[in-house]
Amino acid sequence: MMDFDFNVDEKGNKISYEIEDVKQPNLYRDIFSYSDVPKVKFDEELVTMDLPNDICITDTTFRDGQQSMTPFKEKQIVEIFKYLNKLDNNSGIIRQTEFFIYTNRDIKAIEDCQALGYKFPEITTWIRANIDELKRVKNLGIRETGILMSCSDYHIFKKFKSTRKEIFNKYIAIVAKALEYGIVPRVHLEDITRADFFGFVIPLVNKLMEMSREAKIQVKIRACDTLGLGVSYPSAILPRSIPKIISGLVKYGNVPSSALEWHGHNDFYHVVPGSVTAWLYGSSGVNTTLFGIGERTGNCPLEAMVMEYSQIKGNTKNMDLRIITELAHYFTTNMGYEIPARTPFVGSDFNLTRAGIHADGMLKDEEIYNIFDTSKILNRPILIAVNEYSGQAGIAAWINTYFKLSNDDKISKRDERILQVKNWVDSEYEGGRNSAISNKEFELIVKSVFQELICVEGSYAG
């Protein structure tokens, strides 16, 4: 395997990167023609994986996530913040969350959350590269703030109508002021997957790290895949290669892994594998939102990265994963947010089976078709839906699951009374029914046949 090396030339001489103040923007038209789907190009150079010992999750539900919804009420922000604290449960895995500071509601919510005195998630803010906004952060007593710093020529030339050098100087000035205030700047390198990595990103980051050393305050870097263009393929080339972006920032931008974070979007369905890849190649942090809410196709779901952390590290520390289910319930009942039914871990159907053959497996042992003990870990018992395809096994599985029957109390699919219930189901659909059979409706039918269940309380009826 070749080790990807940015810093030396063919003769082994060290290369020093300076801002390339080009007259024409580098828009990578061979990759992003705009009239076609973007291309992925490859070379033979691979990067070595370098998973940090300490990896964590950060949250932007109150900032990037909130932009995709009706603005949160102050009380809702505080309640969600409390849930995040309960989910983290002093593990430090859900390390930070960021807030807007633009309205009185934002400020009051921050103050109410500060008053709770939680260590995790730490309260941070987000601002544009603007001195007046930075002063607000200082007045709030916030230790760290994100600062938006668009880094692709799409933004520098097309949005700002500026030059690389002018934008570079503007960014350096705002970071210098943050350091003067004693605030940790978290630099958000927007649109990094379309940026000139050597001509702008690395020179900027090297300067920021130099300023860190002089101020003795660690500047953080958030690499932002604003359009979800990053890919995880080991030999993909820049600017779309997540392995090469992260490895390059660590090894040649001189960014400590502990000060590096990845922020992805889901435009090409890459947001979860892309975030995992960032961890694997040297980023300590990955930025998320609850349920993946966010601009366009959304951000990386926080609950997904909790599960990825658990799989990679082999543990969840103190995290209480049952709170994920409580958060989903809060969003649907208190905030009017509709979570798609098949969304992993939080959708109403995520551990529901309708297929008769699967239900038969569940009847024998739920482990056959359930991803893990969802009842224990997420407080989500497995669900069986009854329809015209369920068969006797599906009906028996529904009864045992719904009434939480175990061991000798379980109803066998061979119990002759199961056939009575099946005949009722068949007659319903043969008679033209095309609606689902609700749990409450089916509970009444089952109890009319299985008299011993009359006094047994059913679960998740509705």
PDB file of all heavy atoms in Angstrom, residues 311-346:
ATOM      1  N   GLN A 311     -20.623   0.060  17.684  1.00  0.00           N
ATOM      2  CA  GLN A 311     -20.056  -1.048  16.918  1.00  0.00           C
ATOM      3  C   GLN A 311     -18.537  -0.942  16.785  1.00  0.00           C
ATOM      4  O   GLN A 311     -17.826  -1.938  16.883  1.00  0.00           O
ATOM      5  CB  GLN A 311     -20.706  -1.084  15.529  1.00  0.00           C
ATOM      6  CG  GLN A 311     -22.193  -1.425  15.571  1.00  0.00           C
ATOM      7  CD  GLN A 311     -22.837  -1.378  14.211  1.00  0.00           C
ATOM      8  OE1 GLN A 311     -22.781  -2.338  13.447  1.00  0.00           O
ATOM      9  NE2 GLN A 311     -23.472  -0.258  13.888  1.00  0.00           N
ATOM     10  N   ILE A 312     -18.050   0.277  16.575  1.00  0.00           N
ATOM     11  CA  ILE A 312     -16.603   0.466  16.393  1.00  0.00           C
ATOM     12  C   ILE A 312     -15.855   0.271  17.711  1.00  0.00           C
ATOM     13  O   ILE A 312     -14.809  -0.393  17.759  1.00  0.00           O
ATOM     14  CB  ILE A 312     -16.318   1.867  15.812  1.00  0.00           C
ATOM     15  CG1 ILE A 312     -16.799   1.943  14.359  1.00  0.00           C
ATOM     16  CG2 ILE A 312     -14.827   2.197  15.873  1.00  0.00           C
ATOM     17  CD1 ILE A 312     -16.780   3.344  13.795  1.00  0.00           C
ATOM     18  N   LYS A 313     -16.400   0.854  18.775  1.00  0.00           N
ATOM     19  CA  LYS A 313     -15.716   0.797  20.068  1.00  0.00           C
ATOM     20  C   LYS A 313     -16.088  -0.432  20.894  1.00  0.00           C
ATOM     21  O   LYS A 313     -15.408  -0.773  21.858  1.00  0.00           O
ATOM     22  CB  LYS A 313     -16.028   2.067  20.871  1.00  0.00           C
ATOM     23  CG  LYS A 313     -15.318   3.311  20.348  1.00  0.00           C
ATOM     24  CD  LYS A 313     -13.815   3.188  20.525  1.00  0.00           C
ATOM     25  CE  LYS A 313     -13.091   4.484  20.247  1.00  0.00           C
ATOM     26  NZ  LYS A 313     -11.629   4.376  20.456  1.00  0.00           N
ATOM     27  N   GLY A 314     -17.186  -1.083  20.530  1.00  0.00           N
ATOM     28  CA  GLY A 314     -17.586  -2.277  21.265  1.00  0.00           C
ATOM     29  C   GLY A 314     -18.263  -1.989  22.581  1.00  0.00           C
ATOM     30  O   GLY A 314     -18.454  -2.886  23.410  1.00  0.00           O
ATOM     31  N   ASN A 315     -18.648  -0.725  22.808  1.00  0.00           N
ATOM     32  CA  ASN A 315     -19.347  -0.366  24.040  1.00  0.00           C
ATOM     33  C   ASN A 315     -20.080   0.957  23.817  1.00  0.00           C
ATOM     34  O   ASN A 315     -19.877   1.635  22.815  1.00  0.00           O
ATOM     35  CB  ASN A 315     -18.373  -0.239  25.213  1.00  0.00           C
ATOM     36  CG  ASN A 315     -17.400   0.915  25.017  1.00  0.00           C
ATOM     37  OD1 ASN A 315     -17.742   2.078  25.202  1.00  0.00           O
ATOM     38  ND2 ASN A 315     -16.165   0.595  24.627  1.00  0.00           N
ATOM     39  N   THR A 316     -20.904   1.324  24.770  1.00  0.00           N
ATOM     40  CA  THR A 316     -21.591   2.615  24.723  1.00  0.00           C
ATOM     41  C   THR A 316     -21.271   3.449  25.943  1.00  0.00           C
ATOM     42  O   THR A 316     -21.952   4.456  26.209  1.00  0.00           O
ATOM     43  CB  THR A 316     -23.119   2.430  24.629  1.00  0.00           C
ATOM     44  OG1 THR A 316     -23.563   1.640  25.740  1.00  0.00           O
ATOM     45  CG2 THR A 316     -23.511   1.742  23.337  1.00  0.00           C
ATOM     46  N   LYS A 317     -20.224   3.051  26.683  1.00  0.00           N
ATOM     47  CA  LYS A 317     -19.897   3.731  27.946  1.00  0.00           C
ATOM     48  C   LYS A 317     -21.176   3.837  28.787  1.00  0.00           C
ATOM     49  O   LYS A 317     -21.871   2.860  28.985  1.00  0.00           O
ATOM     50  CB  LYS A 317     -19.250   5.086  27.690  1.00  0.00           C
ATOM     51  CG  LYS A 317     -17.821   4.997  27.158  1.00  0.00           C
ATOM     52  CD  LYS A 317     -17.165   6.363  27.150  1.00  0.00           C
ATOM     53  CE  LYS A 317     -15.713   6.261  26.727  1.00  0.00           C
ATOM     54  NZ  LYS A 317     -15.065   7.599  26.688  1.00  0.00           N
ATOM     55  N   ASN A 318     -21.481   5.064  29.251  1.00  0.00           N
ATOM     56  CA  ASN A 318     -22.670   5.236  30.098  1.00  0.00           C
ATOM     57  C   ASN A 318     -23.923   5.581  29.318  1.00  0.00           C
ATOM     58  O   ASN A 318     -24.976   5.758  29.921  1.00  0.00           O
ATOM     59  CB  ASN A 318     -22.464   6.393  31.099  1.00  0.00           C
ATOM     60  CG  ASN A 318     -21.264   6.235  31.975  1.00  0.00           C
ATOM     61  OD1 ASN A 318     -20.655   5.190  32.016  1.00  0.00           O
ATOM     62  ND2 ASN A 318     -20.929   7.286  32.680  1.00  0.00           N
ATOM     63  N   MET A 319     -23.826   5.750  28.018  1.00  0.00           N
ATOM     64  CA  MET A 319     -24.978   6.257  27.270  1.00  0.00           C
ATOM     65  C   MET A 319     -26.249   5.446  27.541  1.00  0.00           C
ATOM     66  O   MET A 319     -26.205   4.228  27.636  1.00  0.00           O
ATOM     67  CB  MET A 319     -24.687   6.255  25.765  1.00  0.00           C
ATOM     68  CG  MET A 319     -23.863   7.416  25.282  1.00  0.00           C
ATOM     69  SD  MET A 319     -23.863   7.590  23.473  1.00  0.00           S
ATOM     70  CE  MET A 319     -22.965   6.119  22.987  1.00  0.00           C
ATOM     71  N   ASP A 320     -27.364   6.157  27.640  1.00  0.00           N
ATOM     72  CA  ASP A 320     -28.664   5.512  27.829  1.00  0.00           C
ATOM     73  C   ASP A 320     -29.415   5.578  26.510  1.00  0.00           C
ATOM     74  O   ASP A 320     -30.082   6.571  26.195  1.00  0.00           O
ATOM     75  CB  ASP A 320     -29.448   6.228  28.930  1.00  0.00           C
ATOM     76  CG  ASP A 320     -30.755   5.530  29.271  1.00  0.00           C
ATOM     77  OD1 ASP A 320     -31.137   4.587  28.548  1.00  0.00           O
ATOM     78  OD2 ASP A 320     -31.402   5.930  30.259  1.00  0.00           O
ATOM     79  N   LEU A 321     -29.317   4.516  25.736  1.00  0.00           N
ATOM     80  CA  LEU A 321     -29.875   4.520  24.380  1.00  0.00           C
ATOM     81  C   LEU A 321     -31.402   4.516  24.366  1.00  0.00           C
ATOM     82  O   LEU A 321     -32.013   4.823  23.338  1.00  0.00           O
ATOM     83  CB  LEU A 321     -29.333   3.331  23.582  1.00  0.00           C
ATOM     84  CG  LEU A 321     -28.008   3.553  22.840  1.00  0.00           C
ATOM     85  CD1 LEU A 321     -26.913   4.033  23.774  1.00  0.00           C
ATOM     86  CD2 LEU A 321     -27.571   2.309  22.114  1.00  0.00           C
ATOM     87  N   ARG A 322     -32.025   4.215  25.498  1.00  0.00           N
ATOM     88  CA  ARG A 322     -33.487   4.270  25.557  1.00  0.00           C
ATOM     89  C   ARG A 322     -34.004   5.691  25.342  1.00  0.00           C
ATOM     90  O   ARG A 322     -35.140   5.891  24.915  1.00  0.00           O
ATOM     91  CB  ARG A 322     -33.974   3.735  26.906  1.00  0.00           C
ATOM     92  CG  ARG A 322     -33.661   2.257  27.148  1.00  0.00           C
ATOM     93  CD  ARG A 322     -33.973   1.851  28.573  1.00  0.00           C
ATOM     94  NE  ARG A 322     -33.152   2.602  29.523  1.00  0.00           N
ATOM     95  CZ  ARG A 322     -33.244   2.489  30.851  1.00  0.00           C
ATOM     96  NH1 ARG A 322     -34.119   1.650  31.362  1.00  0.00           N
ATOM     97  NH2 ARG A 322     -32.472   3.204  31.647  1.00  0.00           N
ATOM     98  N   ILE A 323     -33.144   6.673  25.621  1.00  0.00           N
ATOM     99  CA  ILE A 323     -33.546   8.067  25.452  1.00  0.00           C
ATOM    100  C   ILE A 323     -33.769   8.397  23.984  1.00  0.00           C
ATOM    101  O   ILE A 323     -34.523   9.317  23.648  1.00  0.00           O
ATOM    102  CB  ILE A 323     -32.486   9.005  26.069  1.00  0.00           C
ATOM    103  CG1 ILE A 323     -32.297   8.693  27.564  1.00  0.00           C
ATOM    104  CG2 ILE A 323     -32.874  10.471  25.891  1.00  0.00           C
ATOM    105  CD1 ILE A 323     -33.554   8.838  28.395  1.00  0.00           C
ATOM    106  N   ILE A 324     -33.146   7.659  23.086  1.00  0.00           N
ATOM    107  CA  ILE A 324     -33.378   7.862  21.648  1.00  0.00           C
ATOM    108  C   ILE A 324     -34.867   7.690  21.338  1.00  0.00           C
ATOM    109  O   ILE A 324     -35.459   8.465  20.583  1.00  0.00           O
ATOM    110  CB  ILE A 324     -32.528   6.888  20.818  1.00  0.00           C
ATOM    111  CG1 ILE A 324     -31.036   7.240  20.945  1.00  0.00           C
ATOM    112  CG2 ILE A 324     -32.955   6.889  19.352  1.00  0.00           C
ATOM    113  CD1 ILE A 324     -30.110   6.223  20.319  1.00  0.00           C
ATOM    114  N   THR A 325     -35.472   6.670  21.930  1.00  0.00           N
ATOM    115  CA  THR A 325     -36.905   6.429  21.731  1.00  0.00           C
ATOM    116  C   THR A 325     -37.735   7.555  22.330  1.00  0.00           C
ATOM    117  O   THR A 325     -38.729   8.005  21.730  1.00  0.00           O
ATOM    118  CB  THR A 325     -37.298   5.084  22.363  1.00  0.00           C
ATOM    119  OG1 THR A 325     -36.532   4.034  21.751  1.00  0.00           O
ATOM    120  CG2 THR A 325     -38.779   4.798  22.182  1.00  0.00           C
ATOM    121  N   GLU A 326     -37.331   8.057  23.484  1.00  0.00           N
ATOM    122  CA  GLU A 326     -38.056   9.169  24.114  1.00  0.00           C
ATOM    123  C   GLU A 326     -37.949  10.436  23.279  1.00  0.00           C
ATOM    124  O   GLU A 326     -38.918  11.205  23.156  1.00  0.00           O
ATOM    125  CB  GLU A 326     -37.522   9.404  25.531  1.00  0.00           C
ATOM    126  CG  GLU A 326     -37.803   8.259  26.479  1.00  0.00           C
ATOM    127  CD  GLU A 326     -37.367   8.555  27.909  1.00  0.00           C
ATOM    128  OE1 GLU A 326     -37.297   9.756  28.278  1.00  0.00           O
ATOM    129  OE2 GLU A 326     -37.097   7.604  28.665  1.00  0.00           O
ATOM    130  N   LEU A 327     -36.776  10.670  22.696  1.00  0.00           N
ATOM    131  CA  LEU A 327     -36.601  11.833  21.833  1.00  0.00           C
ATOM    132  C   LEU A 327     -37.499  11.742  20.599  1.00  0.00           C
ATOM    133  O   LEU A 327     -38.103  12.735  20.187  1.00  0.00           O
ATOM    134  CB  LEU A 327     -35.134  11.950  21.416  1.00  0.00           C
ATOM    135  CG  LEU A 327     -34.229  12.751  22.344  1.00  0.00           C
ATOM    136  CD1 LEU A 327     -32.759  12.427  22.076  1.00  0.00           C
ATOM    137  CD2 LEU A 327     -34.479  14.246  22.179  1.00  0.00           C
ATOM    138  N   ALA A 328     -37.557  10.562  20.003  1.00  0.00           N
ATOM    139  CA  ALA A 328     -38.422  10.373  18.834  1.00  0.00           C
ATOM    140  C   ALA A 328     -39.876  10.653  19.195  1.00  0.00           C
ATOM    141  O   ALA A 328     -40.615  11.304  18.437  1.00  0.00           O
ATOM    142  CB  ALA A 328     -38.258   8.960  18.287  1.00  0.00           C
ATOM    143  N   HIS A 329     -40.294  10.175  20.359  1.00  0.00           N
ATOM    144  CA  HIS A 329     -41.667  10.412  20.817  1.00  0.00           C
ATOM    145  C   HIS A 329     -41.904  11.900  21.037  1.00  0.00           C
ATOM    146  O   HIS A 329     -42.964  12.438  20.662  1.00  0.00           O
ATOM    147  CB  HIS A 329     -41.916   9.640  22.110  1.00  0.00           C
ATOM    148  CG  HIS A 329     -43.295   9.795  22.666  1.00  0.00           C
ATOM    149  ND1 HIS A 329     -44.401   9.211  22.091  1.00  0.00           N
ATOM    150  CD2 HIS A 329     -43.757  10.501  23.739  1.00  0.00           C
ATOM    151  CE1 HIS A 329     -45.483   9.534  22.785  1.00  0.00           C
ATOM    152  NE2 HIS A 329     -45.115  10.320  23.782  1.00  0.00           N
ATOM    153  N   TYR A 330     -40.919  12.597  21.611  1.00  0.00           N
ATOM    154  CA  TYR A 330     -41.062  14.032  21.868  1.00  0.00           C
ATOM    155  C   TYR A 330     -41.205  14.803  20.563  1.00  0.00           C
ATOM    156  O   TYR A 330     -42.043  15.695  20.433  1.00  0.00           O
ATOM    157  CB  TYR A 330     -39.862  14.551  22.658  1.00  0.00           C
ATOM    158  CG  TYR A 330     -39.980  16.014  23.030  1.00  0.00           C
ATOM    159  CD1 TYR A 330     -40.721  16.410  24.141  1.00  0.00           C
ATOM    160  CD2 TYR A 330     -39.373  16.999  22.263  1.00  0.00           C
ATOM    161  CE1 TYR A 330     -40.855  17.747  24.477  1.00  0.00           C
ATOM    162  CE2 TYR A 330     -39.506  18.344  22.578  1.00  0.00           C
ATOM    163  CZ  TYR A 330     -40.247  18.712  23.693  1.00  0.00           C
ATOM    164  OH  TYR A 330     -40.379  20.046  24.007  1.00  0.00           O
ATOM    165  N   PHE A 331     -40.388  14.466  19.569  1.00  0.00           N
ATOM    166  CA  PHE A 331     -40.450  15.170  18.289  1.00  0.00           C
ATOM    167  C   PHE A 331     -41.798  14.957  17.590  1.00  0.00           C
ATOM    168  O   PHE A 331     -42.341  15.874  16.969  1.00  0.00           O
ATOM    169  CB  PHE A 331     -39.306  14.717  17.378  1.00  0.00           C
ATOM    170  CG  PHE A 331     -38.095  15.620  17.426  1.00  0.00           C
ATOM    171  CD1 PHE A 331     -37.321  15.687  18.560  1.00  0.00           C
ATOM    172  CD2 PHE A 331     -37.757  16.404  16.344  1.00  0.00           C
ATOM    173  CE1 PHE A 331     -36.203  16.509  18.622  1.00  0.00           C
ATOM    174  CE2 PHE A 331     -36.650  17.240  16.386  1.00  0.00           C
ATOM    175  CZ  PHE A 331     -35.873  17.303  17.530  1.00  0.00           C
ATOM    176  N   THR A 332     -42.329  13.752  17.681  1.00  0.00           N
ATOM    177  CA  THR A 332     -43.582  13.468  16.974  1.00  0.00           C
ATOM    178  C   THR A 332     -44.795  14.042  17.712  1.00  0.00           C
ATOM    179  O   THR A 332     -45.729  14.534  17.077  1.00  0.00           O
ATOM    180  CB  THR A 332     -43.771  11.952  16.773  1.00  0.00           C
ATOM    181  OG1 THR A 332     -43.676  11.284  18.040  1.00  0.00           O
ATOM    182  CG2 THR A 332     -42.719  11.400  15.845  1.00  0.00           C
ATOM    183  N   THR A 333     -44.780  14.008  19.033  1.00  0.00           N
ATOM    184  CA  THR A 333     -45.962  14.433  19.789  1.00  0.00           C
ATOM    185  C   THR A 333     -45.926  15.907  20.182  1.00  0.00           C
ATOM    186  O   THR A 333     -46.977  16.549  20.274  1.00  0.00           O
ATOM    187  CB  THR A 333     -46.134  13.586  21.067  1.00  0.00           C
ATOM    188  OG1 THR A 333     -44.953  13.708  21.881  1.00  0.00           O
ATOM    189  CG2 THR A 333     -46.375  12.132  20.722  1.00  0.00           C
ATOM    190  N   ASN A 334     -44.737  16.462  20.411  1.00  0.00           N
ATOM    191  CA  ASN A 334     -44.641  17.843  20.888  1.00  0.00           C
ATOM    192  C   ASN A 334     -44.217  18.842  19.823  1.00  0.00           C
ATOM    193  O   ASN A 334     -44.392  20.044  19.994  1.00  0.00           O
ATOM    194  CB  ASN A 334     -43.656  17.942  22.061  1.00  0.00           C
ATOM    195  CG  ASN A 334     -44.170  17.271  23.316  1.00  0.00           C
ATOM    196  OD1 ASN A 334     -44.263  16.058  23.376  1.00  0.00           O
ATOM    197  ND2 ASN A 334     -44.526  18.054  24.315  1.00  0.00           N
ATOM    198  N   MET A 335     -43.633  18.345  18.734  1.00  0.00           N
ATOM    199  CA  MET A 335     -43.105  19.260  17.736  1.00  0.00           C
ATOM    200  C   MET A 335     -43.712  19.046  16.350  1.00  0.00           C
ATOM    201  O   MET A 335     -43.351  19.730  15.396  1.00  0.00           O
ATOM    202  CB  MET A 335     -41.576  19.122  17.671  1.00  0.00           C
ATOM    203  CG  MET A 335     -40.911  19.389  19.021  1.00  0.00           C
ATOM    204  SD  MET A 335     -39.127  19.281  18.974  1.00  0.00           S
ATOM    205  CE  MET A 335     -38.720  20.725  18.004  1.00  0.00           C
ATOM    206  N   GLY A 336     -44.610  18.070  16.253  1.00  0.00           N
ATOM    207  CA  GLY A 336     -45.285  17.843  14.988  1.00  0.00           C
ATOM    208  C   GLY A 336     -44.384  17.335  13.887  1.00  0.00           C
ATOM    209  O   GLY A 336     -44.699  17.485  12.701  1.00  0.00           O
ATOM    210  N   TYR A 337     -43.280  16.710  14.271  1.00  0.00           N
ATOM    211  CA  TYR A 337     -42.346  16.204  13.266  1.00  0.00           C
ATOM    212  C   TYR A 337     -42.691  14.759  12.937  1.00  0.00           C
ATOM    213  O   TYR A 337     -42.814  13.918  13.832  1.00  0.00           O
ATOM    214  CB  TYR A 337     -40.903  16.289  13.768  1.00  0.00           C
ATOM    215  CG  TYR A 337     -39.891  15.784  12.767  1.00  0.00           C
ATOM    216  CD1 TYR A 337     -39.641  16.494  11.594  1.00  0.00           C
ATOM    217  CD2 TYR A 337     -39.192  14.599  12.978  1.00  0.00           C
ATOM    218  CE1 TYR A 337     -38.720  16.039  10.654  1.00  0.00           C
ATOM    219  CE2 TYR A 337     -38.265  14.139  12.050  1.00  0.00           C
ATOM    220  CZ  TYR A 337     -38.040  14.861  10.891  1.00  0.00           C
ATOM    221  OH  TYR A 337     -37.139  14.403   9.972  1.00  0.00           O
ATOM    222  N   GLU A 338     -42.851  14.460  11.660  1.00  0.00           N
ATOM    223  CA  GLU A 338     -43.210  13.112  11.230  1.00  0.00           C
ATOM    224  C   GLU A 338     -41.954  12.342  10.835  1.00  0.00           C
ATOM    225  O   GLU A 338     -41.320  12.639   9.826  1.00  0.00           O
ATOM    226  CB  GLU A 338     -44.179  13.166  10.054  1.00  0.00           C
ATOM    227  CG  GLU A 338     -44.677  11.797   9.627  1.00  0.00           C
ATOM    228  CD  GLU A 338     -45.710  11.884   8.509  1.00  0.00           C
ATOM    229  OE1 GLU A 338     -46.226  12.989   8.263  1.00  0.00           O
ATOM    230  OE2 GLU A 338     -45.986  10.843   7.893  1.00  0.00           O
ATOM    231  N   ILE A 339     -41.581  11.370  11.635  1.00  0.00           N
ATOM    232  CA  ILE A 339     -40.427  10.530  11.326  1.00  0.00           C
ATOM    233  C   ILE A 339     -40.887   9.437  10.362  1.00  0.00           C
ATOM    234  O   ILE A 339     -41.830   8.702  10.662  1.00  0.00           O
ATOM    235  CB  ILE A 339     -39.842   9.892  12.603  1.00  0.00           C
ATOM    236  CG1 ILE A 339     -39.358  10.979  13.567  1.00  0.00           C
ATOM    237  CG2 ILE A 339     -38.704   8.940  12.260  1.00  0.00           C
ATOM    238  CD1 ILE A 339     -38.893  10.445  14.911  1.00  0.00           C
ATOM    239  N   PRO A 340     -40.268   9.330   9.189  1.00  0.00           N
ATOM    240  CA  PRO A 340     -40.662   8.269   8.256  1.00  0.00           C
ATOM    241  C   PRO A 340     -40.683   6.908   8.942  1.00  0.00           C
ATOM    242  O   PRO A 340     -39.770   6.572   9.721  1.00  0.00           O
ATOM    243  CB  PRO A 340     -39.595   8.337   7.169  1.00  0.00           C
ATOM    244  CG  PRO A 340     -39.156   9.778   7.178  1.00  0.00           C
ATOM    245  CD  PRO A 340     -39.193  10.180   8.627  1.00  0.00           C
ATOM    246  N   ALA A 341     -41.711   6.132   8.670  1.00  0.00           N
ATOM    247  CA  ALA A 341     -41.963   4.894   9.430  1.00  0.00           C
ATOM    248  C   ALA A 341     -40.796   3.917   9.401  1.00  0.00           C
ATOM    249  O   ALA A 341     -40.562   3.201  10.374  1.00  0.00           O
ATOM    250  CB  ALA A 341     -43.222   4.220   8.895  1.00  0.00           C
ATOM    251  N   ARG A 342     -40.059   3.873   8.300  1.00  0.00           N
ATOM    252  CA  ARG A 342     -38.989   2.882   8.183  1.00  0.00           C
ATOM    253  C   ARG A 342     -37.614   3.425   8.571  1.00  0.00           C
ATOM    254  O   ARG A 342     -36.591   2.809   8.284  1.00  0.00           O
ATOM    255  CB  ARG A 342     -38.963   2.317   6.756  1.00  0.00           C
ATOM    256  CG  ARG A 342     -40.174   1.449   6.461  1.00  0.00           C
ATOM    257  CD  ARG A 342     -40.184   0.917   5.031  1.00  0.00           C
ATOM    258  NE  ARG A 342     -41.322   0.036   4.818  1.00  0.00           N
ATOM    259  CZ  ARG A 342     -42.548   0.439   4.547  1.00  0.00           C
ATOM    260  NH1 ARG A 342     -42.811   1.742   4.453  1.00  0.00           N
ATOM    261  NH2 ARG A 342     -43.529  -0.424   4.368  1.00  0.00           N
ATOM    262  N   THR A 343     -37.561   4.566   9.211  1.00  0.00           N
ATOM    263  CA  THR A 343     -36.282   5.132   9.650  1.00  0.00           C
ATOM    264  C   THR A 343     -35.642   4.208  10.687  1.00  0.00           C
ATOM    265  O   THR A 343     -36.285   3.849  11.681  1.00  0.00           O
ATOM    266  CB  THR A 343     -36.485   6.522  10.273  1.00  0.00           C
ATOM    267  OG1 THR A 343     -37.160   7.361   9.328  1.00  0.00           O
ATOM    268  CG2 THR A 343     -35.146   7.143  10.645  1.00  0.00           C
ATOM    269  N   PRO A 344     -34.386   3.806  10.487  1.00  0.00           N
ATOM    270  CA  PRO A 344     -33.735   2.914  11.456  1.00  0.00           C
ATOM    271  C   PRO A 344     -33.766   3.477  12.879  1.00  0.00           C
ATOM    272  O   PRO A 344     -33.579   4.679  13.085  1.00  0.00           O
ATOM    273  CB  PRO A 344     -32.301   2.815  10.935  1.00  0.00           C
ATOM    274  CG  PRO A 344     -32.425   3.044   9.461  1.00  0.00           C
ATOM    275  CD  PRO A 344     -33.526   4.070   9.319  1.00  0.00           C
ATOM    276  N   PHE A 345     -34.041   2.616  13.825  1.00  0.00           N
ATOM    277  CA  PHE A 345     -33.986   2.871  15.263  1.00  0.00           C
ATOM    278  C   PHE A 345     -35.132   3.726  15.800  1.00  0.00           C
ATOM    279  O   PHE A 345     -35.471   3.612  16.974  1.00  0.00           O
ATOM    280  CB  PHE A 345     -32.650   3.504  15.686  1.00  0.00           C
ATOM    281  CG  PHE A 345     -31.451   2.835  15.108  1.00  0.00           C
ATOM    282  CD1 PHE A 345     -30.527   3.543  14.366  1.00  0.00           C
ATOM    283  CD2 PHE A 345     -31.240   1.474  15.284  1.00  0.00           C
ATOM    284  CE1 PHE A 345     -29.416   2.931  13.812  1.00  0.00           C
ATOM    285  CE2 PHE A 345     -30.132   0.842  14.734  1.00  0.00           C
ATOM    286  CZ  PHE A 345     -29.221   1.579  13.991  1.00  0.00           C
ATOM    287  N   VAL A 346     -35.716   4.615  15.004  1.00  0.00           N
ATOM    288  CA  VAL A 346     -36.712   5.546  15.535  1.00  0.00           C
ATOM    289  C   VAL A 346     -38.038   5.521  14.787  1.00  0.00           C
ATOM    290  O   VAL A 346     -39.037   6.038  15.301  1.00  0.00           O
ATOM    291  CB  VAL A 346     -36.155   6.995  15.544  1.00  0.00           C
ATOM    292  CG1 VAL A 346     -35.044   7.135  16.574  1.00  0.00           C
ATOM    293  CG2 VAL A 346     -35.683   7.423  14.164  1.00  0.00           C
TER     294      VAL A 346
END
